[in-house]
């Protein structure tokens, strides 16, 4: 690993594979396990960087595909790179654009070379290849960049998934050759769909490439929760212990707790901000709709134990009023609270691992079958 990136493991859980550590990047350390908020278009929607810092955010994500379409990587680079352009001085990660491109199933064509698709902005044909994705990410300048991968849909046949997994490996080799900046860490992505043997083969093959970090991709695409848990439990332990492990697109309490028990360190998900825009608060594992009549005259904070700006200054009744009135401040306050809540969840797990109390304090997330949180 390049000297400016390193992962230090501080403690291991005696009952599970959970671990607490620190991932060092050029823009500062990331304490793991940790939830990372998503700032798709070089901003976390409705939240300023100063507010974001107060949520406890360390590493923040942004999206290569979206930034390539608008404003274009040349403008971000011209603005001093992603950190300076968006006013975030902490660590950052960009995805490769693969996931978004493969979500455009009607408008794209996949070949060994890459993916051709029509821009939803202006109809222009865009050719995204592993080399182009890395070139864009090198221009954006995040601390961690992701390999361009093929994310098969769910469900998909074994043959389709096998072909996508093998192509993802060949594309990763091209990404490694294309990558030009030593101040950016290129993470490889393990694919393999729901086929555990394909996941294992991919993890073992990627581990041999000695990359600075590894991700598990292609989960949370519609497969049942039990299958996702099996994928993570099979894949994570095969990745090198001295490197950070990132589970892409996952961020519910239960999914994170289960993945942490398998040795995963980093998570990202749009739910805290997306739910905020639906008027939903995440409170201690539960999910509240602030439009509910019971909140109209409830003058308590969202969560009395929460130190976020929203809980320290405003009542449920006030936020309920803002949500009903569709005031933008509602989405800001709920985003601040929801991001704080998910980061605090991973921070508390980290503290529990450091004192070897993970299964004592969080065991109920690993065993209970029912869950209050459901995806929208
Ligand atoms: Zn709060």
């Amino acid at each position: 690993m390049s000297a400016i990136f390193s992962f230090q493991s501080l403690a291991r859980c005696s009952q599970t594979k959970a671990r607490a550590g620190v991932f060092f990047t050029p823009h500062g350390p990331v304490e793991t396990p940790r939830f990372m908020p998503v700032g798709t278009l070089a901003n976390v929607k409705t939240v300023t960087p100063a507010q974001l810092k107060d949520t406890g955010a360390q590493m923040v994500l942004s999206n290569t595909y979206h930034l390539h379409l608008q404003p274009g990587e040349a403008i971000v680079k011209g603005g001093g790179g992603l950190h300076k352009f968006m006013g975030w001085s902490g660590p950052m990660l960009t995805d490769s654009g693969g996931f978004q491109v493969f979500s455009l199933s009607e408008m794209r064509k996949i070949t060994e070379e890459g993916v051709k698709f029509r821009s939803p902005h202006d109809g222009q044909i865009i050719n995204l290849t592993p080399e182009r994705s890395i070139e864009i990410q090198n221009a954006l300048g995040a601390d961690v960049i992701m390999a361009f991968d093929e994310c098969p849909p769910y469900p998909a046949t074994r043959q389709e998934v096998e072909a996508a997994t093998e192509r993802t490996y060949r594309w990763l080799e091209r990404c490694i050759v294309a990558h030009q900046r030593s101040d950016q860490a290129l993470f490889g992505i393990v694919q393999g769909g729901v086929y555990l043997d394909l996941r294992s083969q991919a993890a073992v093959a990627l581990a041999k490439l000695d990359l600075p970090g590894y991700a598990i991709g292609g989960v949370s695409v519609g497969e049942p929760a039990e299958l996702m848990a099996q994928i993570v439990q099979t894949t994570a332990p095969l990745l090198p212990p001295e490197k950070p492990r990132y589970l892409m697109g996952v961020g519910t309490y239960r999914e994170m707790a289960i993945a942490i028990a398998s040795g995963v360190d980093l998570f990202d998900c749009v739910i805290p901000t997306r739910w905020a825009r639906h008027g939903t608060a995440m409170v201690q594992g539960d999910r509240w709709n602030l439009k509910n009549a019971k909140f109209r005259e409830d003058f308590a904070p969202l969560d009395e134990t929460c130190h976020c700006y929203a809980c320290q200054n405003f009542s449920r009744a006030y936020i309920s009023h803002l949500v009903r009135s569709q005031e933008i401040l509602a989405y800001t306050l709920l985003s601040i609270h929801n991001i704080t809540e998910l980061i605090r969840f991973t921070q508390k797990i980290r503290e529990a691992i450091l004192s070897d109390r993970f299964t004592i304090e969080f065991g109920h997330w690993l065993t209970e079958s029912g869950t209050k949180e459901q995806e929208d």
Side-chain angles (χ1 to χ4, degrees):
M1 191 182 302
S2 149
I4 46 176
F5 292 95
S6 62
F7 179 77
Q8 187 185 1
S9 181
L10 298 177
R12 278 284 303 268
C13 169
S14 58
Q15 309 293 314
T16 70
K17 296 188 171 71
R19 60 198 200 153
V22 186
F23 175 43
F24 294 94
T25 80
H27 287 83
V30 185
E31 293 168 344
T32 64
R34 195 99 179 166
F35 176 79
M36 307 183 287
V38 179
T40 301
L41 277 160
N43 81 118
V44 175
K45 290 189 198 307
T46 76
V47 178
T48 69
Q51 290 166 331
L52 190 58
K53 191 156 193 261
D54 287 343
T55 65
Q58 290 179 342
M59 185 174 267
V60 175
L61 258 74
S62 211
N63 291 90
T64 295
Y65 165 77
H66 292 287
L67 289 174
H68 174 63
L69 295 183
Q70 164 65 37
E73 61 278 9
I75 289 179
V76 176
K77 193 179 179 186
L82 198 47
H83 297 86
K84 184 150 190 286
F85 188 58
M86 69 180 276
W88 179 256
S89 57
M92 291 206 66
L93 180 152
T94 45
D95 67 0
S96 64
F99 183 79
Q100 277 85 14
V101 171
F102 287 103
S103 308
L104 303 167
S105 51
E106 310 262 305
M107 307 156 69
R108 59 160 167 74
K109 186 170 187 290
I110 309 168
T111 62
E112 184 63 24
E113 176 61 17
V115 186
K116 269 199 180 106
F117 63 99
R118 206 172 272 284
S119 162
H121 284 227
D122 56 12
Q124 193 191 331
I125 300 283
I126 296 178
N127 196 8
L128 201 55
T129 62
E131 291 79 11
R132 189 76 187 100
S133 169
I134 296 300
E135 187 185 9
I136 297 168
Q137 294 187 79
N138 283 164
L140 294 172
D143 302 83
V144 173
I145 66 174
M146 302 302 300
F148 189 69
D149 59 334
E150 180 174 349
C151 179
Y154 177 82
T157 66
R158 184 187 164 89
Q159 206 176 7
E160 287 164 345
V161 175
E162 198 163 12
T165 308
E166 288 169 4
R167 179 173 281 157
T168 291
Y169 184 83
R170 293 191 297 273
W171 282 1
L172 171 60
E173 291 181 311
R174 285 165 57 187
C175 288
I176 292 169
V177 173
H179 182 32
Q180 296 293 327
R181 286 179 60 169
S182 61
D183 61 341
Q184 294 182 300
L186 172 64
F187 281 23
I189 304 175
V190 177
Q191 290 289 353
V194 298
Y195 302 97
L196 300 180
D197 59 322
L198 296 182
R199 288 274 176 187
S200 300
Q201 286 167 24
V204 169
L206 261 67
K208 289 184 185 147
L209 297 175
D210 193 29
L211 294 163
Y214 291 90
I216 301 170
V219 296
S220 201
V221 290
E223 76 283 11
E226 310 84 70
L227 271 181
M228 192 208 289
Q230 285 173 22
I231 291 166
V232 175
Q233 284 156 0
T234 303
T235 310
L238 296 172
L239 297 172
E242 70 282 7
K243 306 291 175 63
R245 300 168 180 152
Y246 160 33
L247 182 59
M248 303 180 79
V250 164
T252 66
Y253 298 93
R254 175 174 310 282
E255 290 165 348
M256 290 197 291
I258 289 171
I260 288 168
S262 303
V264 173
D265 308 301
L266 296 165
F267 303 90
D268 80 284
C269 191
V270 295
I271 61 164
T273 43
R274 179 173 293 166
W275 286 1
R277 295 195 302 283
H278 294 175
T280 299
M282 306 173 79
V283 182
Q284 301 200 10
D286 214 339
R287 200 180 150 185
W288 295 353
N289 179 356
L290 269 293
K291 284 181 202 144
N292 195 309
K294 70 179 179 187
F295 295 117
R296 285 196 86 138
E297 295 182 62
D298 185 342
F299 299 103
L302 286 176
D303 178 352
E304 276 160 3
T305 67
C306 179
H307 294 287
C308 87
Y309 174 72
C311 292
Q312 288 298 305
N313 293 283
F314 305 99
S315 64
R316 297 167 188 175
Y318 179 66
I319 297 173
S320 173
H321 151 66
L322 294 179
V323 169
R324 287 160 187 279
S325 313
Q326 299 184 322
E327 286 291 332
I328 289 168
L329 184 57
Y331 315 133
T332 299
L333 295 178
L334 286 171
S335 293
I336 288 172
H337 170 77
N338 288 351
I339 294 169
T340 304
E341 165 72 8
L342 282 192
I343 290 173
R344 184 175 44 226
F345 181 71
T346 54
Q347 266 179 319
K348 281 186 177 168
I349 289 182
R350 184 175 196 270
E351 285 157 23
I353 296 167
L354 287 170
S355 54
D356 204 8
R357 295 179 54 82
F358 174 52
T359 53
I360 297 165
E361 293 177 23
F362 291 88
H364 58 289
W365 286 113
L366 307 176
T367 51
E368 273 175 18
S369 55
T371 174
K372 294 172 190 164
E373 32 166 9
Q374 295 291 327
E375 287 278 357
D376 270 0

